[in-house]
Structure formats: structure tokens, C-alpha cells
Amino acid sequence: MTYLAKPKLHHPTLTRNNVGYTRRDYEGKISTLCAGCGHDSISAAIIQACWELDVEPHRVAKLSGIGCSSKTPDYFLGNSHGFNTVHGRMPSVLTGANLANRDLLYLGVSGDGDSASIGIGQFVHALRRGVNMVYIVENNGVYGLTKGQFSATADQGSVSKKGVVNSDAPLDLIGLALQLGATYVARGFSGDKHQLVPLIKGAIAHQGAAFIDVISPCVAFNNHAGSTKSYEYVREHNEVANRIDFVPCRDEITVDYPEGELLEVEQHDGSVLRLRKLDADYDPRNRVAAMNYVHARDAQGEVATGLLYLDPEPRDLHAHLNTVAIPFNRLGEAELCPGSAALAKINATLR
Ligand SMILES: Cc1ncc(C[n+]2csc(CCOP(=O)(O)OP(=O)(O)O)c2C)c(N)n1
Ligand code: SF4
Ligand SMILES: [Mg+2]
């Protein structure tokens, strides 16, 4: 694949975070996506979230499938581990890597084609198993890379650039994630960085399966009148449930909000999500209410965004399987090979 490396030089006085890195240290190669593609804004939001959270780049593993969206890990976190899988297979590779080494932060980046079409089985099982990860779908309703076919998330009745009407019912990734037991479920919009950055930060701090559906318009094939994934449509129909302020556990909470508008949820790692409620009746800790809310908004042609569901006490795959905490590459021969006496004992139980 051809790519353009970014010049390494930068201004010597750029601000450094608490682990000594500038924002530039979280960037990747120069993007080759179309100018204005929503995916580039998501890359910028990931860079900002990781820099502000003092994430050490070498502690991150970014994985993706195939598509314009799945190319984006090349454009952020250039000093992190990366694995570009085949189409739709990112979740199983991420699951395997996570089982081998739980100490890394797993960031899965995918598209609506990659996750909702060819990879739907993989998507479903990674969420169902509670893999501790941040799973982002950059959702534009089309296969951008292969020139604009409808994907499985395209709304019924929406019109392609060439005027074809989509007759198939859409697959709702948020509804699925809620039903499958994901413990952090959010929807963002690539055109709203103020909402997206804290949503990503909250997902990084979350110790379970975190899923973020980000509506990310494809300016080349799905940004026209009749598309429900265009910048204009999403701006007009965006129904924001809440606004998050992410407060890491090290920071003191200083800002006050009027009573009644605020919901504070502490996560397992001590970080606090301060939710300014824009819909007074909405409580993101209630999974069934979240399902109803999203479907009710959808029926009105609105796009519900914000933190839609959060379980503050999540359990992940390692807890379900009671696995060993030490990464496989740090287990010595003594742990891996308990000796012939232990093997004889196991064999005896099978006779
Ligand atoms: C097994 C296989 N089937 C089909 C393709 C062709 N293909 C490449 S990307 C893609 C769809 C990508 O769509 P999406 O995940 O939505 O990414 P976008 O480009 O829209 O960001 C398809 C069908 C492929 N690469 N491999
Ligand atoms: S084809 Fe669409 S999804 Fe792909 S880079 Fe261009 S605007 Fe983005
Ligand atoms: Mg797509």
C-alpha cells in the first residue's frame, strides 16, 4: 500500500502530556482518504482522546478489517501495535490478542460494511463475550472503498447517489449491541468532536465491551439529498440524549451544574462520567430503557446520539473464563509446564 509519512519535525515548545508526549506523537501517516471524509475526523478524535488521557502509545493495539474506515489506523497512533485483518475478521483477531495479553488497550476500528455485512457474525460474538475493548464502527451506510454500494446499515427508502432506492431493512448496530450485552454503548457523529472525544475517553476507561457507532458521512458516495447518513441529514435529525464530561480518576471535579441536570456515574477504574442530561427522563444505566429510547427516536427519523447505555460494574471475557492475569509472553516454563506428576494426576481423572 502506498502511503505518505508525516515529517517528524515539530515545534520544540509543543505541550506535553503527563507521560511526556506531544499530540504529534499520537498521529500516524498522512491520510489518503477523500478530503472531508468523516473518518478523518474520527481519527483526530481518537488522537485527542489518547493524548489527553496520557495513554502510552506502546500500550495500545489497534486492529481493523478492510475498507476506508479500516485503513484509518494507519493515520493515528503510529507508535502503537497494529493489525490489519481480512474483511470482517477484526473481532476474532482482537479477541485472540486480548486473551493472550490483557495488559494492552484494544482499539478495534471497523466500517458498517466490515462489521454489519461480511463481519456481522464476528461483531455479534465479540460483544456477546464481553471482550474488553473499544470497538468503533465508522458508519457511512455504504461500502466507500468499493465505490458506494448500500451497506446493511443503509436505511430503508434511502437513495443512492445514482438514484437507486434501498428496499432492504437496515441492521441497527446500537440495538444489537444493547441486546447482546455490551456494557458501554454510545453513538457519536464525526461532525461533533466535542461529543465524540469524551465518548471515546469513557470507552477507553471502561473495563468491558465498549461499542461506539459513529455516523461518519462518505462525501464521495453518500452525502447527497435522500441519504440519511449525510452531514446535513444527521445535523438536522441529531437527538442528543446527554453530553459527557469525562473526569479521569486523578482529577478533582471542579465544575458545578444546576441540580437535576446532572448524573454522575463512577466507573470501575475510578474515573467519573458526568452526564449533562439533555433529555430529562433518560437514564443510561437502564438497558431496556435505552433500547426503547433508541427505537422510538429511530421511528421518528431521528438519530439518537450520546452515551446510550453504561454498566458501571462490567465483567469481561477474562472474568467469565477465569483466565490467568499474566500475559502469555511473560509466562515462564514453570507456569506453562507444571511437570509430569501434574499431568499424570489429570490423566488419572480421565480414566
Ligand atoms: C472477502 C472480501 N470480500 C469483499 C471485499 C471487497 N470490499 C473491500 S472493502 C468492502 C466494504 C467496505 O465497507 P465499509 O466497511 O463500510 O468501509 P468504508 O469503505 O465504507 O469505510 C468490500 C465489500 C474484500 N476486500 N474482501
Ligand atoms: S470513498 Fe467515502 S469513505 Fe472512502 S475515503 Fe472517500 S469519502 Fe471516505
Ligand atoms: Mg461504510
Side-chain angles (χ1 to χ4, degrees):
M1 195 191 291
T2 53
Y3 68 85
L4 300 168
K6 246 184 207 171
K8 289 224 181 301
L9 278 178
H10 58 71
H11 198 276
T13 61
L14 283 186
T15 314
R16 292 184 184 275
N17 62 11
N18 290 321
V19 285
Y21 295 113
T22 68
R23 198 183 173 285
R24 290 290 309 274
D25 295 319
Y26 293 80
E27 293 178 353
K29 292 164 194 154
I30 292 174
S31 171
T32 57
L33 303 186
C34 306
C37 175
H39 300 350
D40 278 334
S41 309
I42 303 173
S43 297
I46 292 171
I47 289 169
Q48 192 172 331
C50 290
W51 181 66
E52 288 180 4
L53 272 188
D54 303 323
V55 170
E56 292 179 296
H58 68 280
R59 305 304 307 160
V60 181
K62 43 178 188 163
L63 295 97
S64 63
I66 302 286
C68 298
S69 34
S70 292
K71 282 170 69 179
T72 63
D74 229 17
Y75 313 139
F76 58 79
L77 293 171
N79 296 312
S80 300
H81 306 279
F83 199 108
N84 194 205
T85 73
V86 288
H87 202 14
R89 269 54 178 176
M90 175 273 284
S92 57
V93 178
L94 188 153
T95 304
N98 182 303
L99 279 172
N101 184 355
R102 66 165 79 178
D103 282 357
L104 300 180
L105 162 63
Y106 289 93
L107 181 55
V109 175
S110 179
D112 43 311
D114 196 59
S115 279
S117 299
I118 194 169
I120 187 68
Q122 299 242 335
F123 169 83
V124 161
H125 291 291
L127 291 186
R128 186 178 71 82
R129 290 183 172 132
V131 180
N132 183 8
M133 61 185 170
V134 178
Y135 192 135
I136 295 178
V137 168
E138 306 190 346
N139 189 351
N140 53 18
V142 290
Y143 300 166
L145 190 73
T146 52
K147 308 228 175 291
Q149 302 86 348
F150 286 123
S151 79
T153 65
D155 285 313
Q156 203 162 31
S158 66
V159 183
S160 78
K161 198 175 171 185
K162 289 189 174 161
V164 179
V165 178
N166 181 37
S167 51
D168 296 340
L171 204 143
D172 171 18
L173 291 174
I174 289 283
L176 265 177
L178 287 167
Q179 191 258 311
L180 290 163
T183 44
Y184 183 107
V185 180
R187 191 187 273 133
F189 170 41
S190 64
D192 186 350
K193 202 171 166 185
H194 293 296
Q195 181 190 46
L196 186 56
V197 171
L199 285 179
I200 295 172
K201 285 177 165 180
I204 289 174
H206 188 72
Q207 300 294 305
F211 172 64
I212 312 180
D213 179 35
V214 187
I215 309 296
S216 176
C218 168
V219 290
F221 300 108
N222 206 12
N223 196 34
H224 47 270
S227 160
T228 54
K229 299 277 192 288
S230 65
Y231 281 110
E232 202 179 333
Y233 185 91
V234 181
R235 278 195 191 112
E236 269 172 21
H237 297 85
N238 190 351
E239 184 69 21
V240 185
N242 45 43
R243 289 266 170 195
I244 296 193
D245 289 318
F246 178 83
V247 188
C249 43
R250 60 168 192 270
D251 287 6
E252 199 187 334
I253 296 174
T254 48
V255 190
D256 274 327
Y257 293 95
E259 221 174 301
E261 287 182 9
L262 193 74
L263 177 70
E264 267 181 17
V265 189
E266 189 173 338
Q267 295 214 91
H268 205 66
D269 69 342
S271 61
V272 176
L273 298 178
R274 304 194 91 199
L275 292 162
R276 273 173 292 146
K277 295 172 90 174
L278 299 183
D279 185 322
D281 301 325
Y282 191 67
D283 184 349
R285 293 165 301 184
N286 183 331
R287 191 183 288 275
V288 176
M291 289 175 176
N292 287 338
Y293 180 84
V294 172
H295 290 142
R297 292 292 167 278
D298 191 45
Q300 301 292 320
E302 291 161 357
V303 185
T305 61
L307 179 59
L308 300 168
Y309 176 69
L310 171 71
D311 179 347
E313 295 288 336
R315 278 172 60 82
D316 82 332
L317 181 63
H318 287 282
H320 296 160
L321 297 179
N322 192 23
T323 57
V324 63
I326 304 166
F328 287 178
N329 62 1
R330 275 192 259 144
L331 288 175
E333 200 177 333
E335 292 93 355
L336 291 171
C337 179
S340 52
L343 184 62
K345 211 168 152 189
I346 293 168
N347 283 345
T349 64
L350 301 171
R351 287 200 179 98

